[in-house]
Amino acid sequence: MQDFSAPDDIRSLFSQAMSEMYRKEVPQYGTLMDLVRDVNAATLKADPELNARLDAAGELGRLDVERHGAIRLGTAEELSMIRRMFAVMGMLPVGYYDLSVAGIPVHSTAFRPVEDAALKQNPFRVFTSLLRLDLVEDRDLAAKAENILTLRQIVTDEAKALIELSEAQGGLTKEQAHTFVHEALETFRWHSEATVCTQTYNALVDAHRLIADVVSFKGPHINHLTPRTLNIDAVQAKMPSYGITPKAVIEGPPRRETDILLRQTSFKALEETVVFHGETGSHTARFGEIEQRGVALTPAGRALYDAALTNARHTAAQADAPTYETVLEAEFSSFPDDLDCLRRDGLAFFRYRVSGTVNHKATTIDDLIATGALVADPQVYEDFLPVSAAGIFQSNLGAEDQSNYRANANQDAFEAALGVSVIDEMALYADIQSASLTAALTALGQDHLVETSQAG
Ligand code: OOG
Ligand code: NI
């Protein structure tokens, strides 16, 4: 039996290598990383309780390495090949996002680690979109785009060989893993030379800027890398003094005592020089983003969130409406803003751990928590939000591209392209919650409570 590198270690190597490459390609990303690191350090210093909680939950370690990226693919073959590439690094497709609702001709998934230990080590995720040429009205242009896409190969021969080797032998040796990371990086590199001429590029832009971005290049350049901050309002406020102009509003829930789901903001895409068959022009694709992650919500919590967000967007769109922030805060005022309340109401997912001892037979789980024997840590939301993602897409595509495609989800087609089904994110959080609770109750000698916990 050969000694293989752990997929978690390959993912860490890859995430680090991507970060280094993107820092060189987009210097503003490096500036943003520095800003986020400083704000995180200051936040932890000012809030010892948060520091202690993250430390006890084993979450401090992942903070500095944590980031997500995004890519956009052109064909089913590309999506299935990228799935196999990410699988080598322990990243699986989780969730299905339909962006057609927002007038963006893609549907997406997030490749990410799913196991508890893997998430703790390095939760690197890639939001991966597949272009939907079926939504393009101009069928001739769609056919032309498809032809262009079938001519490219986005994975190097060496990377492909190593993916196949890893599948055949069940992993990669350390040396193979290093070569694999080096080769995999090539797929996501920026190409300043387009594969199409100016005229084709312009026709694609006219159909949708996003289509031009996917079709005109040799590969799916990484379009942003996003560090995780503990205080997104502070980073947003400080961006201008670092020479970065953020988008106007932060996507997601409003600022609260207890962070839920995901808040995100980005800065505008850079205009970059591109050569189109010898002719110099430009293209905007790559940008920067930051995110603040909170607790994952249960289906009941998520339904509340979706309703509040929909109402806020509706109200804010009315004439004479107050600012979006004001409306958003008002809509979320009835959303419980306290971890214990979120837990008791079954609105959020937790991870349980033992923190003391008990020598009596407790009658409820709440008893064990009240006495300090059992601790419920909030589970970090590891996924994305479709409405927020649409806002991020739009902020760097330009408002004029918000054409309406009508809701047109097609998860079956996406999964057929992917070659497997996407994993249901809610099931992952629920499994972590129940497994951690069962283990903690057993360790505390409170097995009699396991069944009640599973019933709820
Ligand atoms: C992806 C936009 C979505 C997020 O964090 O929600 C996204 C893209 O622009 O390709 O990255
Ligand atoms: Ni993003």
Side-chain angles (χ1 to χ4, degrees):
M1 170 89 191
Q2 297 202 54
D3 203 3
F4 292 135
S5 268
D8 293 345
D9 292 337
I10 306 180
R11 182 175 64 262
S12 290
L13 277 180
F14 178 73
S15 157
Q16 182 61 31
M18 284 279 264
S19 187
E20 272 159 31
M21 180 175 83
Y22 201 61
R23 197 188 259 264
K24 280 190 203 125
E25 289 183 348
V26 181
Q28 274 192 320
Y29 164 67
T31 309
L32 195 62
M33 291 252 293
D34 295 341
L35 171 56
V36 166
R37 205 193 36 234
D38 292 350
V39 167
N40 286 355
T43 308
L44 289 171
K45 205 167 160 211
D47 190 347
E49 216 175 283
L50 175 70
N51 196 338
R53 182 171 68 67
L54 292 181
D55 194 19
E59 272 179 37
L60 273 187
R62 66 180 250 183
L63 195 61
D64 279 340
V65 298
E66 177 156 359
R67 57 186 74 97
H68 82 252
I71 55 168
R72 303 155 183 174
L73 303 172
T75 65
E77 291 68 30
E78 290 179 1
L79 182 63
S80 102
M81 183 51 80
I82 288 295
R83 167 181 63 78
R84 294 167 61 197
M85 177 188 273
F86 284 143
V88 175
M89 312 179 223
M91 294 159 76
L92 303 177
V94 179
Y96 173 76
Y97 303 88
D98 168 31
L99 276 303
S100 69
V101 225
I104 300 157
V106 301
H107 44 185
S108 320
T109 190
F111 287 96
R112 68 161 175 93
V114 296
E115 305 281 342
D116 229 4
L119 286 164
K120 276 202 177 122
Q121 182 176 329
N122 188 326
F124 183 60
R125 359 171 149 69
V126 178
F127 190 88
T128 302
S129 300
L130 175 64
L131 181 62
R132 294 185 65 182
L133 288 172
D134 59 306
L135 297 181
V136 175
E137 238 169 66
D138 181 343
R139 295 318 299 159
D140 289 343
L141 187 73
K144 185 167 182 187
E146 182 134 30
N147 277 336
I148 297 169
L149 285 169
T150 50
L151 293 176
R152 72 179 190 181
Q153 189 189 325
I154 63 169
V155 172
T156 68
D157 289 337
E158 185 84 37
K160 188 161 176 261
L162 285 166
I163 291 167
E164 283 162 3
L165 182 66
S166 175
E167 288 170 348
Q169 67 184 14
L172 296 178
T173 64
K174 206 166 174 197
E175 205 189 324
Q176 289 162 351
H178 270 95
T179 314
F180 168 77
V181 166
H182 180 82
E183 290 293 323
L185 215 55
E186 289 308 306
T187 298
F188 307 103
R189 195 179 286 292
W190 174 249
H191 299 280
S192 54
E193 242 174 73
T195 54
V196 300
C197 66
T198 307
Q199 201 190 352
T200 303
Y201 175 78
N202 288 338
L204 294 167
V205 168
D206 284 347
H208 199 293
R209 189 170 284 279
L210 187 113
I211 302 175
D213 183 53
V214 176
V215 177
S216 309
F217 297 90
K218 272 191 215 111
H221 39 256
I222 180 96
N223 67 47
H224 64 281
L225 272 183
T226 304
R228 175 179 169 197
T229 176
L230 296 172
N231 188 344
I232 198 167
D233 302 285
V235 178
Q236 169 101 345
K238 284 191 178 165
M239 274 203 224
S241 63
Y242 281 68
I244 303 172
T245 314
K247 78 194 269 295
V249 297
I250 295 176
E251 299 288 345
R255 172 187 207 155
R256 298 157 35 98
E257 283 301 313
T258 306
D259 296 324
I260 52 170
L261 299 173
L262 177 63
R263 300 180 72 208
Q264 298 167 292
T265 182
S266 59
F267 63 77
K268 288 270 159 70
L270 318 167
E271 178 155 348
E272 301 179 271
T273 301
V274 170
V275 178
F276 298 92
H277 287 183
E279 218 179 310
T280 302
S282 71
H283 177 68
T284 49
R286 301 187 301 165
F287 59 101
E289 185 192 27
I290 47 167
E291 64 182 18
Q292 177 164 355
R293 291 188 175 262
V295 66
L297 299 185
T298 60
R302 179 56 187 270
L304 265 189
Y305 170 82
D306 286 339
L309 189 72
T310 304
N311 287 343
R313 292 171 70 88
H314 182 78
T315 307
Q318 308 291 313
D320 306 329
T323 65
Y324 180 68
E325 280 87 351
T326 310
V327 172
L328 193 65
E329 266 173 31
E331 279 301 336
F332 276 85
S333 59
S334 56
F335 202 113
D337 194 7
D338 167 88
L339 279 177
D340 201 49
C341 182
L342 288 169
R343 187 184 59 78
R344 286 164 185 261
D345 288 357
L347 296 174
F349 285 116
F350 290 81
R351 179 186 283 101
Y352 292 86
R353 63 185 159 87
V354 172
S355 167
T357 50
V358 266
N359 42 25
H360 66 284
K361 247 184 153 197
T363 48
T364 65
I365 288 161
D366 287 348
D367 280 352
L368 292 170
I369 290 177
T371 60
L374 184 67
V375 172
D377 292 312
Q379 279 190 53
V380 176
Y381 186 58
E382 308 286 356
D383 296 287
F384 294 87
L385 296 168
V387 175
S388 298
I392 299 291
F393 265 109
Q394 276 156 356
S395 75
N396 64 84
L397 288 171
E400 74 273 19
D401 282 287
Q402 294 181 29
S403 43
N404 275 322
Y405 288 101
R406 262 184 292 131
N408 204 339
N410 193 344
Q411 187 167 340
D412 288 346
F414 187 83
E415 291 179 335
L418 189 63
V420 299
S421 302
V422 298
I423 298 167
D424 170 17
E425 69 277 16
M426 291 292 181
L428 292 175
Y429 298 115
D431 284 352
I432 288 176
Q433 177 167 286
S434 69
S436 66
L437 185 55
T438 301
L441 290 175
T442 306
L444 286 170
Q446 306 287 331
D447 294 73
H448 63 286
L449 290 175
V450 168
E451 244 167 61
T452 41
S453 76
Q454 276 162 0

